[in-house]
Amino acid sequence: MPNSNAKFHRGGREASRRQLVSRSLQSAQHCLEEQDFGTAYAHYLLVLNLAPELKPSIKETFQFTLFKWAEELDSLARVQDLFNCYEQALELYPNDEVICNSMGEHLFRMGFRDEAAGYFHKAVKLNPDFADAKENFYRVANWLVERWHFIMLNDAKRNLTYLKAIEKAVRSGCSSVLDIGTGTGILSMFAKKAGASCVYACELSKTMYELARDVVAANNMEREIKLLHLKSLDIEIPKHMPERVSLVVTETVDAGLFGEGIVESLIHAWEHLLLQPK
């Protein structure tokens, strides 16, 4: 008898769940017809939390509702509510490139370009053929990656000079290296190719950090170079690196030398991250 009662209660709960899901779906559809996107969005959230098995079948309708409600929130300057909606949506559909791209577009319009680049980059990773996301990522990258960076990367003479200097330092016994402001990761890769046993690279910009990860992976060095999305001033031993390094390299030599605190970073590296001469 107790087992029968338990089955009856479980059956009753399941029937109630299905009934609530059905009513909420009907209400959501009615709200869409009335262009009450906020209420429709709330109903779809309830449905997806109660019946996650419906995610594939209602994904496109949920996306449409989310985007329409986000437009309204944006027009009302309800920024936090807008971001909350996208966070809820990404909890339900964490690998949805369309939602990631849309979140990035809102962030970009609001001036959060570095954060926007992260969402565009994720969308492209999820779907390399997603043309809108690729266009958005390249557009925001043009804002974030300074023109001088491309000029330096294509300066063969400069690159060869850095490579020779790093090779000389590694051959002289500098086996562990920290690259401050790694950018694309080129100096870190020079150090690894020169024979350094441990290479660390820090980069504050989220966009450049993601770019460095891609470049390092494309060169099959993702297991040999540890990338840190940090300011060098925030690096702690042994939390981020097990011990001090024997060589620090950096390439931040434009106006960022003062504006981004590179002088302070180098002083910090010398005092806290670099092995001191005996």
Side-chain angles (χ1 to χ4, degrees), residues 98-112:
V98 178
I99 295 176
C100 286
N101 183 64
S102 181
M103 175 67 155
E105 289 175 338
H106 281 287
L107 286 164
F108 184 78
R109 284 196 296 270
M110 293 176 186
F112 301 107

Side-chain angles (χ1 to χ4, degrees), residues 50-259:
L50 287 174
E53 68 274 12
L54 296 179
K55 286 181 182 180
S57 61
I58 65 173
K59 182 172 76 169
E60 289 187 8
T61 308
F62 175 74
Q63 288 174 343
F64 172 80
T65 306
L66 167 67
F67 300 156
K68 286 293 186 181
W69 179 225
E71 287 176 8
E72 286 191 21
L73 292 173
D74 193 11
S75 68
L76 296 169
R78 292 171 57 182
V79 176
Q80 191 56 57
D81 289 336
L82 186 153
F83 289 152
N84 288 342
C85 287
Y86 273 97
E87 287 174 3
Q88 292 165 342
L90 287 170
E91 285 180 8
L92 293 166
Y93 296 98
N95 296 320
D96 189 287
E97 70 272 20
V98 178
I99 295 176
C100 286
N101 183 64
S102 181
M103 175 67 155
E105 289 175 338
H106 281 287
L107 286 164
F108 184 78
R109 284 196 296 270
M110 293 176 186
F112 301 107
R113 290 170 182 156
D114 211 16
E115 293 83 354
Y119 281 97
F120 294 144
H121 184 263
K122 182 178 179 180
V124 173
K125 282 284 193 181
L126 290 168
N127 182 1
D129 296 323
F130 189 7
D132 287 350
K134 286 198 290 187
E135 182 180 343
N136 283 332
F137 180 69
Y138 295 144
R139 178 162 56 104
V140 75
N142 283 333
W143 284 88
L144 293 171
V145 181
E146 300 289 349
R147 289 289 180 262
W148 55 261
H149 204 96
F150 294 110
I151 295 171
M152 288 198 301
L153 285 175
N154 287 285
D155 186 340
K157 183 178 179 180
R158 162 199 153 278
N159 291 340
L160 183 60
T161 301
Y162 266 109
L163 175 59
K164 288 181 176 179
I166 291 172
E167 285 178 340
K168 182 179 179 180
V170 171
R171 282 198 299 267
S172 69
C174 295
S175 60
S176 55
V177 180
L178 170 63
D179 180 6
I180 296 178
T182 192
T184 57
I186 187 170
L187 297 188
S188 298
M189 291 187 290
F190 283 172
K192 194 63 198 178
K193 287 180 178 179
S197 57
C198 300
V199 180
Y200 307 91
C202 63
E203 176 58 55
L204 178 60
S205 165
K206 177 68 172 175
T207 303
M208 295 306 299
Y209 167 75
E210 294 288 353
L211 180 59
R213 287 181 60 184
D214 287 347
V215 172
V216 167
N219 285 272
N220 299 313
M221 293 186 182
E222 65 270 30
R223 294 183 180 179
E224 301 175 347
I225 298 173
K226 183 175 180 180
L227 288 164
L228 304 168
H229 183 215
L230 289 170
K231 289 175 63 177
S232 63
L233 293 169
D234 296 329
I235 295 176
E236 299 177 16
I237 295 174
K239 182 178 179 180
H240 302 113
M241 301 190 310
E243 58 187 5
R244 294 184 178 215
V245 296
S246 50
L247 176 66
V248 170
V249 296
T250 189
E251 204 173 15
T252 313
V253 293
D254 70 323
L257 180 65
F258 304 103

